[in-house]
């Protein structure tokens, strides 16, 4: 019997693939986990299985350039929530890698996950002032564990400017990726922290996390802060960046031994809302419904409010994630759409900063920007899939070229609800139901040894192919 051409044929969907200049009703044929063909009227008889997609969008799977897949007491919810939101590849901006290794074969839902190991005082680094040697040791350790690099959580848990500069330099020398939630012991998670970050990078490659988070009006008028942020990004050739679209942020509800919120972002939010920056202030913000707790409800993480949130916070001895309505809509809109004179986007990608944090609104809010006329469908796909894939050197993702990884999503064009998520040619979610199967960790050659010993699925990527390390190879528009 002759072998069929396609394992799966996605039939009659509106295919959007800007890399190959496709924006029309077509068919997508998949074979052996790869894109085999994108064309009109592919033969049904050539396919083992067919997914009819009339009236739906078909696009490359989302490459979420800033997510939190592994979270305490989530029990795999992040993986399920991401594939249901159309994410096929996610970069976890904290880890730790040991947790992802423990989870990915059980909870993975086929998801591709790369990790940036979180560094802050007491986690990875001995104190807020770590030596250059210690910085180098931690970057090397992250690579040896299988991570692509590290993330500095300076906005939440500040490090000295000297320590931040040491880590960025160590990453550059080691060929490691480094992302930064900006802020130090000198500045904070604000526009001053962003301006400081550029100086501390000293021309070395740096990923600026969630740009719009530094434009909340903490230092100047929000629109002035947005202008300052975009001016920085337009001029600095050593940066890649992303922004997100969710109104709610994510931070820690933990109260430290000093009676203050452990996260400086939590402190900022309380101050902005007029609450005392202490345990009593956070308690009142929760009771007033000005802050939420996110917690596992069924099989997903969800926000809970007011008295229920307060009870959960107390029951967990304050060791919970909390969210505030801190993200201004003006900042989100401008960061998502602003372009250079060349037509290239100033902020490379749109991320969720979600995963197990319940704000996976990339598609619903992104398509709202399309309906508003702020982005075209092709531009949205660039920012959700191709540009972020380029940022990390995931060269076979973010497009539907023949031979590319068959990571494809089928989406309702008005609501952004995901009908199907296909990863490596297999279903990972269908009609809102995530499907249980192992995922893959994306690692460098450096991480192969430990992942092979851990008996997890992995694929090797080369950061030398990334926009992060290639200033002249910026994502196309």
């Amino acid at each position: 019997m002759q072998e069929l051409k396609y394992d799966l044929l996605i039939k009659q969907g509106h295919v959007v693939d800007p890399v190959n200049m496709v924006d029309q009703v077509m068919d997508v044929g998949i074979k052996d986990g790869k894109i085999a063909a994108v064309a009109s009227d592919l033969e049904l008889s050539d396919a083992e299985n067919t997914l009819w997609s009339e009236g739906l969008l078909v696009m490359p799977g989302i490459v979420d350039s800033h997510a939190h897949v592994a979270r305490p007491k989530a029990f795999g919810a992040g993986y399920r929530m991401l594939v249901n939101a159309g994410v096929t590849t996610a970069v976890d901006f904290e880890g730790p890698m040991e947790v992802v290794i423990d989870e990915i074969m059980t909870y993975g839902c086929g998801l591709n996950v790369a990790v940036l190991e979180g560094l802050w005082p007491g986690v990875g680094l001995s104190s807020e002032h770590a030596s250059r040697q210690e910085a180098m040791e931690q970057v090397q350790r992250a690579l040896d564990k299988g991570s692509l690099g590290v993330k500095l959580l300076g906005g939440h848990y500040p490090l000295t400017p000297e320590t931040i500069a040491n880590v960025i330099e160590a990453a550059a020398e080691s060929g490691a990726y480094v992302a930064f939630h900006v802020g130090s012991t000198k500045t904070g998670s604000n526009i001053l922290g962003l301006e400081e970050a550029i100086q501390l990078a000293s021309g070395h490659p740096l990923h600026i996390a969630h740009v719009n988070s530094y434009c909340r009006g903490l230092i100047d008028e929000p629109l002035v802060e947005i202008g300052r942020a975009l001016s920085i990004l337009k001029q600095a050739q050593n940066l890649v960046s992303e922004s997100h679209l969710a109104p709610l942020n994510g931070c820690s509800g933990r109260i430290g031994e000093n009676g203050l919120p452990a996260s400086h972002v939590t402190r900022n939010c309380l101050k902005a809302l007029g609450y005392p920056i202490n345990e009593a202030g956070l308690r009142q913000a929760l009771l007033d419904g000005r802050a939420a707790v996110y917690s596992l409800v069924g099989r997903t993480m969800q926000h809970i409010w007011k008295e229920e949130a307060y009870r959960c916070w107390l029951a967990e001895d304050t060791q919970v994630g909390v969210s505030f309505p801190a993200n201004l809509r003006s900042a989100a809109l401008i960061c998502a759409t602003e372009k250079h004179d060349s037509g290239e986007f100033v902020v490379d990608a749109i991320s969720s900063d979600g995963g197990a944090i319940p704000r996976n609104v990339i598609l619903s809010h992104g398509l709202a920007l399309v309906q508003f006329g702020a982005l075209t469908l092709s531009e949205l796909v660039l920012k959700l899939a191709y540009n972020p894939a380029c940022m990390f050197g995931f060269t076979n993702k973010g497009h539907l070229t023949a031979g590319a990884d068959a990571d494809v999503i089928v989406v309702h064009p008005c609501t952004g609800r995901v009908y199907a998520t296909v990863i490596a040619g297999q279903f990972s979610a269908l009609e809102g139901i995530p499907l249980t199967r192992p995922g893959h960790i994306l690692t460098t050659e450096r991480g192969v040894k430990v992942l092979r010993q851990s008996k997890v699925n992995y694929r090797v990527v080369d950061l030398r192919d990334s926009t992060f390390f290639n200033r002249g190879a910026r994502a196309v528009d």
Side-chain angles (χ1 to χ4, degrees), residues 11-194:
K11 191 75 175 166
Q12 289 296 294
H14 180 169
V15 178
V16 184
D17 176 17
V19 173
N20 292 294
M21 296 182 288
V22 176
D23 188 355
Q24 65 187 79
V25 173
M26 299 189 84
D27 303 335
V28 178
I30 294 170
K31 181 69 175 177
D32 296 330
K34 302 291 184 181
I35 301 295
V38 178
S40 300
D41 299 321
L42 296 177
E43 289 293 335
L44 288 170
S45 59
D46 287 335
E48 182 175 354
N49 296 291
T50 301
L51 180 67
W52 287 94
S53 302
E54 300 101 320
L56 303 177
L57 297 175
V58 177
M59 62 182 70
I62 294 172
V63 177
D64 194 341
S65 52
H66 180 168
H68 294 278
V69 187
R71 300 297 286 180
K73 300 182 181 179
F75 300 102
Y79 303 86
R80 297 187 290 271
M81 293 164 72
L82 284 166
V83 296
N84 264 343
V87 175
T88 56
T89 299
V91 184
D92 187 296
F93 265 45
E94 188 174 339
M97 175 57 83
E98 292 88 348
V99 173
V100 177
I101 288 172
D102 285 344
E103 293 180 346
I104 193 120
M105 299 300 285
T106 302
Y107 298 124
C109 297
L111 190 68
N112 300 295
V113 179
V115 175
L116 299 181
E117 200 78 8
L119 296 180
W120 65 91
V123 176
L125 298 171
S126 59
S127 69
E128 65 184 27
H129 188 77
S131 67
R132 190 181 186 285
Q133 179 180 349
E134 185 179 0
M136 179 62 77
E137 289 172 353
Q138 291 307 313
V139 170
Q140 297 287 327
R141 179 172 176 267
L143 291 171
D144 287 338
K145 290 168 61 176
S147 300
L148 299 186
V150 296
K151 179 199 176 183
L152 293 160
L153 277 76
H156 290 282
Y157 311 112
L159 297 160
T160 64
E162 294 80 11
T163 300
I164 293 163
N166 286 337
V167 172
I168 295 171
E169 184 177 7
E173 292 181 7
S174 304
Y177 204 100
V178 57
F180 189 15
H181 178 151
V182 307
S184 72
T185 54
K186 183 179 178 181
T187 57
S189 183
N190 53 45
I191 190 63
L192 297 179
L194 177 56

Side-chain angles (χ1 to χ4, degrees), residues 65 93 177-180 205-209 240-242 391-392 468:
S65 52
F93 265 45
Y177 204 100
V178 57
F180 189 15
L206 181 63
H207 176 132
I208 300 294
V240 295
S241 60
E242 31 81 18
M391 288 163 64
F392 292 91
F468 180 81

